[in-house]
Amino acid sequence: MVNPSDFKLGSKKNSYFKAEDVLKDRSYVLPEEDKKALTGADIIYRALCAMLYNYAPLSGHPGGSISSGRIAASLAYKVMDYDFKDPDLQEADILSYAAGHKALGLYAMSALRNEIAKAFRPALLAPETRQLRLEDLLGFRKSPAAGTKLVKQFSSKVLDGHPVPQVPFVRLSTGASGIGLGSSIGLGLAAACSYKENTPKVNIIEGEGGLTAGRSAEALAIAAAAGLDNVILHLDWNQASIDSDKVTADKESRGDYTAWTPAELCYINGFNVIEVADGFDFEQVYAAQKFAYDLNNGCPTAIIYRTVKGWHYGIEGKASHGSGHKFASEGFYKAMEEFENAFGVKIPRFEGEQTPDNIERSFWDCLLCVRRAVAEHKEVFEPLAEMLVSARGRLSALKREISAPEVQKVYTAFTPDKTPEGFSFPAGEAHALRTVMGSALAYISQETGGSILVSTADLSGSTGAGAVAKPFAKGFYNKYSNPESKYIASGGICEDGMSSVMSGVSAYGTHVGLAASYAAFTSAMMHTQARLHAIGQQCWKEATGEAERTFIIFTGHAGMQTGEDGPTHADPQALQLIMEDFPKGAAITLTPLDGNDVWPVLSAALVKRPAVLYPVVSRPNVKVIDRAALGADVPAAAAKGVYRLCKSSKANPDGVIVVQGPGAGEVFCAEVLPELKKRGVEINAYYVTSRELFTALPEEEREALFPYADMQKAIALTDFTLPTMYCWLKSKMGAEYSIYPFMQGKYMSSGKAKDVYKEAHMDAKGQLEKIEAYLETIKAGKWQ
């Protein structure tokens, strides 16, 4: 038996502290008058949290919002360097709610802060569209379609159940466990790459439940490897989830979910750790936060605050996680008593029928009590307004200077009709699409001063995405030891964590984040991250008028061409999980046939500025088609999403085939189509480089390019699943005669690509047999 005392951690760069020890340095002591003001704000904050849950109606997470309130208040009023007048200021510190279910608290804190500025320092107010007012709280978890009277009267903002960038100071959409932590770290990474000196701090609020997701440990590792000492994780450790009141271990025993404590997890992953024994003691909270701001040792920091979920609410622990007091119950009014007693106000009791308008009117009457309490207690709240002035002054004094690439040029400086040297290839040459796509993105990044930050799942060379970082400093990025690198250590084979981080990089706006892996893993393991980023960018555009910021998911080794790896890696399904799975324009997929398609389709997609760009590229070399011999359109035509491979001389062609994917497409162009021509078969054949680019064309242009009459006669030939082709198949029998990997009703075996295609009946022989049967059906007049 080995004595546990013989086990010791290896040498670490990070450190461990306790807040009570930090307080021995008098420079970290919170002045008594500031503590009084913050305490007053917290009383109203908790009242607002209770109101929001009561009137939403009965939705939200009051417990965690309440337990994190003092953490957020100290940051917002005393610690962060930012300009309250400009919520979108790039160089400002950020407060990011990775714990998206604490949105109720975020809204309460934001509205109260706005009300205090309005009452005592109105010059600090942003334009009304970028404020979060008390009036906006009426829109919490309420669709615009609800159409209630006061929401319309006050033009209240829609406040989603989890934070989105329509809310001032919110940079990204969070909510799915672990993703908010990673994307918030991505904000810190982009800030570090943009501000070499006096780097903006990114403060992340999370709970211990959010750390239990595997992607969270991945994201923590990425932050530490990158040396992001501008990232500070504020962990509201209340030990309560929906099902447990002991989520993690503590110093005495294991938890229901984990054997680690939050301090242990963060420390082992390279974070400094500061433990706050009482997360409701403003002195300890402030001291830990201020000390963390001064702790620039090349390591990110986690402050672990011990709290109680639902503190002073009347319902504590797991019972307050996703629920609270019943509407207008004695429990709710009891929770209001501290606020009433502190400020000499009386919350009106709800009366009458519980109609939406009556409930809303009662909510507004309660909010007016908050407005009155703030206005009538200048001695409590004016100091808080002055703290906002000080935050602005501190930011100004830092004189942060940005040193960022020309990221806007990514979307404006490159066009399909101007192909750079090195991206036009003669017929017959063979190129791996992963290599050409990586080189094209590397060219764009180099021409824009290093605009793309790259992370790959331990597959830098294999996916081709590593090429994007090659023009810059070698090795992995580190804020101090290798700041000019554009290659971010992913934490290993960590698609979940790295895609979360890289989506946050894109959301920051100074760089484009790119995450890469095999198609088999990008589609599934990066989908939620892509969806949250798209939601966030939609809201950002609606709130600010600025265009979306693209997150690139570099999807390598797509389709059955990765045959030797077997069906676990040679995945035809990836495209289906992304294509048409987003609102129109939010995501664009790219499926080039050969090297000449890459530049036109990539540059055309970037001009569109989708929130998510999903280039799908294969591993083996693919021969460049002989466009002249086939009668195919010029390479620039790939930018429209569909181009002709050949055109029949007949007004009514013998058949129509629409092709997608380089594996099946190469066989078709090199062997099948020439054989059909030799036999005198007259067909129209089309290749799909991007369904989304095609559907973005005006209707008249779509019809001229790929007529509906051809779709009624078309069959599909694809490297992917049949549903990805349904939009081109407008007949009853089109799908029946189509050619695709799952025609045999099973996954294929391992083997060389040519053998896997043969097994799938997608080699030249299999394609010709299916096409012959199709043509015979048309000839016999049996086509429906």
Side-chain angles (χ1 to χ4, degrees):
M1 178 76 68
V2 176
N3 188 333
S5 65
D6 293 336
F7 176 78
K8 292 182 173 59
L9 293 176
S11 177
K12 301 285 182 185
K13 187 177 180 181
N14 50 317
S15 300
Y16 171 82
F17 308 92
K18 289 185 176 181
E20 53 260 42
D21 294 330
V22 173
L23 277 166
K24 294 173 183 177
D25 183 338
R26 299 301 298 171
S27 64
Y28 294 109
V29 173
L30 181 68
E32 191 60 34
E33 58 272 22
D34 291 351
K35 181 178 178 181
K36 179 182 177 182
L38 289 169
T39 300
D42 182 61
I43 292 171
I44 291 189
Y45 166 85
R46 285 184 282 112
L48 283 170
C49 288
M51 290 179 201
L52 281 164
Y53 180 80
N54 187 66
Y55 287 106
L58 300 181
S59 59
H61 299 261
S65 296
I66 288 168
S67 59
S68 61
R70 295 195 170 201
I71 301 168
S74 179
L75 287 167
Y77 291 108
K78 285 294 295 178
V79 178
M80 289 171 55
D81 305 321
Y82 68 107
D83 187 350
F84 188 66
K85 191 178 183 66
D86 189 351
D88 308 317
L89 190 63
Q90 191 74 68
E91 66 262 28
D93 291 349
I94 292 173
L95 178 58
S96 188
Y97 274 66
H101 61 272
K102 297 182 192 287
L104 182 153
L106 167 64
Y107 302 149
M109 182 271 291
S110 299
L112 177 58
R113 184 175 50 173
N114 198 80
E115 189 67 19
I116 290 168
K118 180 179 178 181
F120 303 108
R121 296 292 185 274
L124 287 176
L125 293 174
E128 192 169 285
T129 56
R130 296 304 287 148
Q131 295 178 37
L132 188 72
R133 310 159 299 157
L134 285 179
E135 288 87 345
D136 294 315
L137 297 184
L138 296 172
F140 177 53
R141 291 196 171 204
K142 190 177 291 184
S143 167
T148 49
K149 181 178 180 180
L150 294 179
V151 163
K152 290 192 290 186
Q153 179 181 329
F154 298 136
S155 298
S156 300
K157 293 179 177 64
V158 174
L159 301 181
D160 287 349
H162 291 76
V164 294
Q166 282 172 322
V167 178
F169 296 101
V170 173
R171 298 296 187 93
L172 40 77
S173 177
T174 63
S177 292
I179 291 177
L181 175 59
S183 58
S184 299
I185 287 171
L187 296 176
L189 172 59
C193 291
S194 305
Y195 295 88
K196 305 298 192 292
E197 304 291 334
N198 295 323
T199 307
K201 305 286 189 183
V202 176
N203 297 281
I204 306 169
I205 290 185
E206 182 58 285
E208 75 284 339
L211 294 184
T212 61
R215 57 174 71 103
S216 295
E218 297 173 4
L220 294 175
I222 293 168
L228 300 182
D229 55 8
N230 60 314
V231 168
I232 305 173
L233 171 61
H234 302 267
L235 197 83
D236 172 25
W237 187 25
N238 55 51
Q239 280 286 52
S241 69
I242 292 177
D243 294 327
S244 172
D245 274 321
K246 195 173 185 181
V247 175
T248 73
D250 56 27
K251 292 182 180 178
E252 304 302 324
S253 60
R254 294 169 60 94
D256 289 337
Y257 297 169
T258 79
W260 45 254
T261 71
E264 291 167 348
L265 179 69
C266 292
Y267 187 82
I268 202 68
N269 275 291
F271 274 59
N272 299 311
V273 171
I274 306 173
E275 290 205 275
V276 176
D278 183 355
F280 301 122
D281 181 344
F282 270 121
E283 290 185 342
Q284 291 187 43
V285 169
Y286 170 76
Q289 294 174 354
K290 190 63 177 171
F291 182 70
Y293 259 56
D294 294 339
L295 189 60
N296 298 312
N297 65 349
C299 300
T301 296
I303 307 178
I304 315 296
Y305 308 84
R306 199 60 192 261
T307 65
V308 175
K309 184 168 281 191
W311 185 66
H312 286 200
Y313 176 58
I315 302 175
E316 293 185 351
K318 66 181 183 181
S320 68
H321 178 85
S323 61
H325 298 294
K326 293 182 179 179
F327 176 72
S329 65
E330 284 306 310
F332 166 64
Y333 292 117
K334 181 73 174 175
M336 294 291 99
E337 286 181 359
E338 186 179 1
F339 165 62
E340 292 175 325
N341 295 336
F343 299 105
V345 295
K346 190 69 174 175
I347 294 293
R349 271 42 181 173
F350 181 83
E351 296 179 351
E353 186 182 353
Q354 291 185 24
T355 64
D357 284 335
N358 284 345
I359 291 171
E360 182 183 59
R361 168 52 64 183
S362 179
F363 188 10
W364 180 237
D365 289 341
C366 288
L367 292 174
L368 289 176
C369 290
V370 170
R371 177 161 288 169
R372 175 184 159 196
V374 170
E376 292 181 354
H377 291 81
K378 182 177 181 179
E379 75 286 356
V380 175
F381 297 106
E382 187 173 28
L384 294 168
E386 192 56 34
M387 291 177 197
L388 300 179
V389 175
S390 297
R392 185 180 187 182
R394 290 194 304 272
L395 177 63
S396 179
L398 287 170
K399 299 185 184 303
R400 288 172 173 159
E401 293 185 5
I402 193 168
S403 177
E406 299 175 285
V407 71
Q408 294 304 316
K409 285 188 175 181
V410 170
Y411 310 108
T412 60
F414 310 102
T415 56
D417 58 337
K418 295 181 180 179
T419 301
E421 185 178 350
F423 294 100
S424 294
F425 308 102
E429 276 193 2
H431 300 273
L433 294 181
R434 59 176 179 167
T435 303
V436 181
M437 184 65 72
S439 298
L441 287 165
Y443 174 83
I444 290 171
S445 188
Q446 191 169 24
E447 290 294 304
T448 55
S451 58
I452 304 177
L453 299 182
V454 181
S455 189
T456 70
D458 199 27
L459 297 162
S460 171
S462 184
T463 61
V468 184
K470 281 186 177 179
F472 307 96
K474 306 306 177 188
F476 291 118
Y477 170 87
N478 183 277
K479 185 173 183 282
Y480 292 96
S481 63
N482 199 13
E484 300 307 314
S485 171
K486 308 301 176 186
Y487 188 36
I488 312 303
S490 67
I493 305 174
C494 300
E495 287 90 351
D496 272 331
M498 73 166 178
S499 54
S500 302
V501 172
M502 302 316 288
S503 70
V505 165
S506 292
Y508 192 72
T510 57
H511 295 77
V512 172
L514 182 153
S517 186
Y518 281 32
F521 312 123
T522 59
S523 55
M525 298 181 190
M526 300 185 186
H527 186 275
T528 306
Q529 294 85 326
R531 189 173 65 85
L532 289 182
H533 182 71
I535 291 168
Q537 289 307 296
Q538 172 184 297
C539 295
W540 175 260
K541 184 175 182 179
E542 290 175 355
T544 67
E546 296 184 15
E548 287 91 344
R549 296 160 171 182
T550 299
F551 166 42
I552 300 176
I553 299 179
F554 193 106
T555 303
H557 293 232
M560 294 192 305
Q561 287 175 296
T562 317
E564 294 91 338
D565 284 332
T568 58
H569 288 57
D571 177 23
Q573 296 174 262
L575 187 64
Q576 183 180 337
L577 298 182
I578 301 297
M579 184 178 285
E580 288 197 346
D581 198 25
F582 290 76
K584 187 174 182 179
I588 294 179
T589 59
L590 309 179
T591 54
L593 170 60
D594 65 14
N596 281 335
D597 285 351
V598 170
W599 180 264
V601 74
L602 173 63
S603 55
L606 288 171
V607 168
K608 298 287 186 184
R609 296 192 69 148
V612 179
L613 180 61
Y614 193 79
V616 179
V617 289
S618 55
R619 177 172 70 183
N621 288 342
V622 177
K623 283 187 178 180
V624 176
I625 66 171
D626 189 337
R627 292 172 187 263
L630 294 175
D633 292 338
V634 297
K640 293 187 176 182
V642 171
Y643 63 86
R644 289 182 183 270
L645 290 171
C646 68
K647 183 177 182 179
S648 170
S649 61
K650 298 179 179 179
N652 184 21
D654 296 330
V656 178
I657 302 175
V658 55
V659 183
Q660 189 169 29
E666 182 181 28
V667 172
F668 179 76
C669 292
E671 301 179 62
V672 176
L673 191 52
E675 177 62 24
L676 293 174
K677 286 179 177 286
K678 188 189 300 183
R679 298 179 185 182
V681 177
E682 294 268 0
I683 66 167
N684 287 340
Y686 301 88
Y687 187 80
V688 180
T689 57
S690 173
R691 186 148 109 196
E692 295 82 9
L693 288 178
F694 177 79
T695 56
L697 297 173
E699 184 178 352
E700 302 79 16
E701 192 170 355
R702 294 198 305 270
E703 176 62 21
L705 179 55
F706 193 159
Y708 188 80
D710 274 8
M711 293 183 187
Q712 290 178 308
K713 203 171 187 177
I715 64 169
L717 167 61
T718 180
D719 279 337
F720 309 107
T721 52
L722 184 58
T724 62
M725 306 302 287
Y726 284 158
C727 75
W728 319 107
L729 307 177
K730 304 301 183 184
S731 66
K732 183 177 179 180
M733 302 176 72
E736 179 182 343
Y737 285 93
S738 289
I739 305 165
Y740 56 96
F742 292 159
M743 285 189 301
Q744 310 309 309
K746 66 170 189 172
Y747 291 99
M748 298 301 106
S749 307
S750 297
K752 293 186 178 299
K754 66 181 184 64
D755 294 328
V756 175
Y757 276 92
K758 184 177 181 180
E759 181 188 2
H761 292 193
M762 291 180 63
D763 60 345
K765 181 174 180 291
Q767 289 187 26
L768 278 167
E769 287 177 354
K770 198 73 179 281
I771 292 169
E772 286 168 354
Y774 157 65
L775 294 172
E776 282 297 320
T777 300
I778 291 178
K779 189 175 181 181
K782 296 180 180 179
W783 186 256
Q784 297 181 50

